[in-house]
Amino acid sequence: MFKSGDQLKSKKWNVEFDEGAHARARLGFILMSTDLAAEDDLYAMRPQGVGIHITRLKTEDYTTNETLARHIDTMADAASRLQPDMKPEVICYSCTSGSIVNGEEPVMAEIKKGAPYTQPTTLVTGVVEALRELNAKKIVVGTPYLDEINLAEAEFLTNKGLQLLDLQGLNLETGIEFGTVTADFWYKFACEIDQPDADAVFLSCGGIRSAQVIDRIEQTIQKPVVTSNQAMFWHCLRKVGIQDKLEGYGQLFNL
């Protein structure tokens, strides 16, 4: 029995090590400080053995093209803080509209500057790859954004070779508003904006609670649904060679 003033000496133990809890892959994500949805989505979709590493990019809670353009100023610093000792194989900037406003290549260059060991990518890069994987050429898009951001997104998607049948935004101003729109609303909104000729519906924004209703929407409209966080996570998994099928997150994860 130990008594105050006694000396301690641990015996020699044969310690057992393995490759750690995240031996399959380590994925890093740079989230906006106002994002209320992506963290939950990422952990909900995470396959066994995959590590999720998150940092936050200081952002203003007023979302315009001007405020989004300032994200790139601290992108390299944010990337450098993502578990530098563990070195995530992929680091993704987790903002759809910010990826568009700042540009995929400039964002990836800044991530690489802060974390030279990683594969840099952006959320919108994953969205475009997901739509191509689904062979979706004609799409409708729903967003929470102001129309100045919607216009930039419409031009971006059109320049990627997609035919935009319609884009409807909610004209909300803040990231906190984005994250407090109910999942049920996103279900009803997606069903309402769908068009018969659309190959897929895309719900745009990493800060909205749309991933949890993907299956419900697909069952109702009978076509693929892409959401920002679903497409981003699918893209990041595929970049490290993980091909797991995930139930509950739409046709994309079950191709």
Side-chain angles (χ1 to χ4, degrees):
M1 179 184 295
F2 178 81
K3 296 177 184 178
S4 180
D6 287 353
Q7 298 299 308
L8 279 176
K9 184 176 181 180
S10 296
K11 69 179 185 180
K12 185 172 178 62
W13 294 90
N14 292 320
V15 182
E16 298 177 1
F17 296 97
D18 61 16
E19 295 179 272
H22 306 141
R24 297 181 71 196
R26 295 172 299 276
L27 306 178
F29 298 92
I30 301 171
L31 272 58
M32 297 199 308
S33 56
T34 55
D35 188 317
L36 300 180
E39 197 160 351
D40 282 347
D41 287 347
L42 293 168
Y43 282 108
M45 290 185 287
R46 180 181 72 92
Q48 189 70 26
V50 174
I52 304 295
H53 303 277
I54 290 170
T55 192
R56 295 277 178 164
L57 187 72
K58 184 171 176 56
T59 46
E60 300 163 65
D61 194 27
Y62 183 61
T63 308
T64 66
N65 287 338
E66 181 182 354
T67 61
L68 289 167
R70 289 199 276 270
H71 288 194
I72 203 162
D73 296 340
T74 52
M75 191 71 63
D77 179 66
S80 73
R81 297 171 187 271
L82 266 163
Q83 300 285 354
D85 294 331
M86 295 300 292
K87 294 182 170 55
E89 290 93 338
V90 172
I91 293 179
C92 182
Y93 170 45
S94 306
C95 180
T96 318
S97 52
S99 304
I100 292 168
V101 169
N102 288 289
E104 295 167 277
E105 294 302 325
V107 167
M108 287 191 273
E110 288 300 305
I111 292 174
K112 197 75 172 175
K113 187 185 300 181
Y117 51 81
T118 199
Q119 297 182 73
T121 192
T122 77
L123 189 155
V124 80
T125 308
V127 167
V128 172
E129 288 198 4
L131 290 167
R132 287 173 178 165
E133 183 75 10
L134 291 162
N135 199 30
K137 297 180 174 63
K138 296 183 290 184
I139 62 171
V140 295
V141 180
T143 88
Y145 310 135
L146 297 171
D147 276 337
E148 66 174 68
I149 301 172
N150 292 326
L151 178 59
E153 179 154 352
E155 291 176 347
F156 172 85
L157 294 171
T158 300
N159 289 336
K160 290 291 185 178
L162 294 157
Q163 186 176 342
L164 195 60
L165 301 183
D166 193 17
L167 188 155
Q168 289 293 316
L170 304 183
N171 273 300
L172 302 180
E173 296 181 343
T174 74
I176 301 301
E177 286 180 309
F178 297 176
T180 51
V181 176
T182 67
D184 280 342
F185 175 84
W186 290 112
Y187 165 77
K188 291 180 283 191
F189 183 56
C191 294
E192 188 165 337
I193 64 174
D194 178 38
Q195 294 190 11
D197 290 344
D199 299 321
V201 172
F202 169 41
L203 293 177
S204 174
C205 183
I208 63 174
R209 290 145 57 195
S210 55
Q212 59 194 273
V213 291
I214 294 171
D215 274 2
R216 280 179 62 197
I217 303 168
E218 288 191 347
Q219 288 165 14
T220 300
I221 67 175
Q222 294 295 296
K223 66 184 63 171
V225 172
V226 170
T227 75
S228 287
N229 292 336
Q230 166 226 36
M232 171 179 69
F233 196 57
W234 169 86
H235 166 66
C236 290
L237 288 175
R238 298 315 186 247
K239 280 183 78 67
V240 293
I242 294 177
Q243 305 289 332
D244 293 24
K245 294 184 177 182
L246 304 183
E247 295 301 323
Y249 296 100
Q251 296 180 37
L252 178 64
F253 270 113
N254 287 284
L255 294 174

